Structures are given as structure tokens and as C-alpha cells.
Amino acid sequence: MTLTTIYKKQLESKYRTPTCSVAMLFHILSIAGIVILPAIVGFYTRNMWVSEMSYLEKPDVQFKYNMLLFLQDKDGGSHVWSTWSYYNTLVQDILSVPSVSIDEQDSDRDGLVDVFNITLQFEKSDIVSFQALLIFQYKLSQVCQLVMETPIYISKKVEEQSLTVFGDIALHQRENLQPHGQNTAYNTSLITDTNVLQSFEIPSILERVSSRSVVTTLQELYSVSEPASTFTTSLILNVPQHRIRYEPGFWEAMKHAWIQYIALLVIVRYVVCKVRAFVFENMIVTTLCSDKTKSS
């Protein structure tokens, strides 16, 4: 015959102890352990307090239509050109003015340039090396606010007189950016004095830029050389999304730490409660136990 439960009662045990006792000390330490141990475990297992975060952003890159060009022919002769009239006047003897074509493409119509196509055609031939310093303005605006004037440097050995370079404009960070406030420390002219010839020396410009905590570089993908009667180069520069590393603020770091703390708290609380039950129920510390029936 099947029996049905129609009434049950629970027995509740209460353990009492004087304020100044070993049992009270154990009680306080166990409660403190529930609160403190998750933080200690999280700290020593690392990554509880996030010190670095990252996100993807497509930067706003604008070509400032300023450039320095250096060519060398097979006889060792140099040919130069820039977009600064003062510099061109000083190097009149070796000046070689190219035909310049610049095409900026926004394929996804988000208001940001996706591809720069810069074509330079010279009347010279027998060129064996080519250097270009192109100056851009680089902006970030989503999480980190960054505005800087930055160069893209290209140096190539020339095998044939038609040279095409494909590459991505990349960002290199030595330090994490700050998510608050606008960073304009590097938004200064790369040509410190347009009336001084030494200001246009590419090594000195790159030396100053290389000390920055954040710089742009050209990540070259391919280069193609083809025969031609005069030297022509096409620079096809893509602007992909960049992964930006930054230092999170207090509340953002706390949000991630809190999730890990709660997860550890559940485990620690379960273990500590089991230990407390064992200690009190087996009278390992002296307490006064009283029972009370709970009906249901």
C-alpha cells in the first residue's frame, strides 16, 4: 500500500556562546573568511583587477597633402621633391617635380577614408631607390580621444621603373591610452621649422616620432615592379580597424572584478558553511545547543 505524507516537522538547532569565547572567535573568523577569501583567491590567481582593455575602432585618417620624396638613380645621383616651397627652393639643383594624383575612397560611406591611392610620376628613369614620407592626421573618438599628426614612411629598392606598393596603415602602442580627456600631445607639426633645411631631414623626423608612445607604421602587404619608360610609383594604403589598448577607469575595472568576486564567493561560502556545520555539530568548540521544532 502506498503511503502519503500528510504532515512533517523540522528540527532547528541553535548554538549559543558567550561573546568572549573561542566559538565566537571562530564565528567571526568564518564570516570574515566568506567575505575576504574570494578577494584573496582572485588576487593571487591574477586578472581579477583588469589593468588593460581593448576595443576595435576604425580611425579617422586624413592625408594632409604634405610629403617628402627622395630618389636615387643608378649613377648615384639624388632627386628630391616636397610640398614645401622653401625646401624646394633650397634643393633647386636636384629638384625633380612629379605629377601627383591622389584618390581617397570611402567604400562603405561612413564618412571615413578606407583607401588612399597616391600616384607619383616622374620624368626621371633608371631610379634604383625610393623614399617617401607622407604626413597624415590620425583621430580616435569612440572610447579614447586621440588626435595626432603622424608620418607614414616608405623605403623601397626599385627593380623596375613602375612600382606599386600595397599596405595597411597600422597603429603601434608602447603604452595604454587613457579613456578620459582628449590627447593632443602629438598633434604638432612634424616639420618643426619650415625655414630651416635640417627640419626636413627624414632621419631626424623619424627619430622624434619613434620616441612617442603611439605611432603609425606601414604594414606592407605586397609590392609589384613592372617595366616603364619613366619612374612611376603607386601607393595604395588601406585604413583597417585598429585594436586600441587602453587603461580602464575605476568603475569599468570594478564591474569585471565584481563578476569574478561573486563567482568565487559562491564557492567559498559553500565550503566555509560546511566547515562551520562540522565544527558546531560535533562540538569542536564549546557552545550551548537548543532545539526548536518547526511545523509544516
Side-chain angles (χ1 to χ4, degrees), residues 124-283:
K124 303 293 181 179
S125 59
D126 298 327
I127 301 300
V128 295
S129 70
F130 166 75
Q131 295 182 69
L133 187 79
L134 311 176
I135 298 180
F136 294 83
Q137 187 172 64
Y138 184 100
K139 294 182 182 179
L140 297 174
S141 59
Q142 290 184 7
V143 177
C144 301
Q145 310 291 322
L146 173 67
V147 181
M148 66 177 178
E149 184 170 295
T150 185
I152 291 295
Y153 175 65
I154 302 167
S155 179
K156 297 291 294 182
K157 295 293 184 182
V158 178
E159 298 177 358
E160 301 289 350
Q161 294 304 291
S162 177
L163 174 66
T164 303
V165 178
F166 300 86
D168 290 344
I169 295 177
L171 185 70
H172 177 70
Q173 291 182 248
R174 292 191 181 92
E175 299 176 1
N176 295 333
L177 296 177
Q178 298 296 325
H180 48 77
Q182 190 172 65
N183 185 349
T184 59
Y186 302 137
N187 193 30
T188 56
S189 177
L190 296 175
I191 308 300
T192 55
D193 190 344
T194 57
N195 294 319
V196 177
L197 182 61
Q198 288 74 16
S199 298
F200 295 91
E201 295 179 352
I202 288 181
S204 64
I205 295 173
L206 295 179
E207 182 180 2
R208 293 196 306 272
V209 172
S210 65
S211 64
R212 294 179 174 183
S213 61
V214 55
V215 296
T216 54
T217 59
L218 178 66
Q219 185 177 351
E220 185 176 323
L221 303 176
Y222 312 103
S223 61
V224 179
S225 293
E226 296 177 323
S229 57
T230 58
F231 180 66
T232 302
T233 180
S234 295
L235 309 175
I236 301 175
L237 312 178
N238 303 299
V239 185
Q241 282 189 323
H242 292 167
R243 181 164 293 279
I244 311 301
R245 294 184 290 107
Y246 70 99
E247 183 178 332
F250 173 79
W251 291 113
E252 188 172 7
M254 180 61 73
K255 179 180 66 176
H256 291 269
W258 183 252
I259 295 173
Q260 296 184 64
Y261 177 83
I262 292 298
L264 291 170
L265 178 65
V266 172
I267 299 172
V268 170
R269 184 179 182 276
Y270 175 82
V271 173
V272 172
C273 287
K274 288 294 184 182
V275 172
R276 281 168 55 87
F278 177 82
V279 169
F280 290 134
E281 291 174 6
N282 291 278
M283 293 296 179

Side-chain angles (χ1 to χ4, degrees), residues 44-59:
Y44 281 102
T45 55
R46 299 185 180 183
N47 295 326
M48 181 174 183
W49 190 264
V50 179
S51 59
E52 176 182 301
M53 299 189 71
S54 65
Y55 70 99
L56 288 174
E57 179 178 352
K58 181 181 175 183

Side-chain angles (χ1 to χ4, degrees), residues 42-74:
F43 177 80
Y44 281 102
T45 55
R46 299 185 180 183
N47 295 326
M48 181 174 183
W49 190 264
V50 179
S51 59
E52 176 182 301
M53 299 189 71
S54 65
Y55 70 99
L56 288 174
E57 179 178 352
K58 181 181 175 183
D60 181 5
V61 180
Q62 300 175 10
F63 186 37
K64 302 196 73 172
Y65 304 103
N66 288 328
M67 64 182 84
L68 286 167
L69 305 177
F70 291 82
L71 310 177
Q72 188 174 31
D73 59 34
K74 67 178 183 179

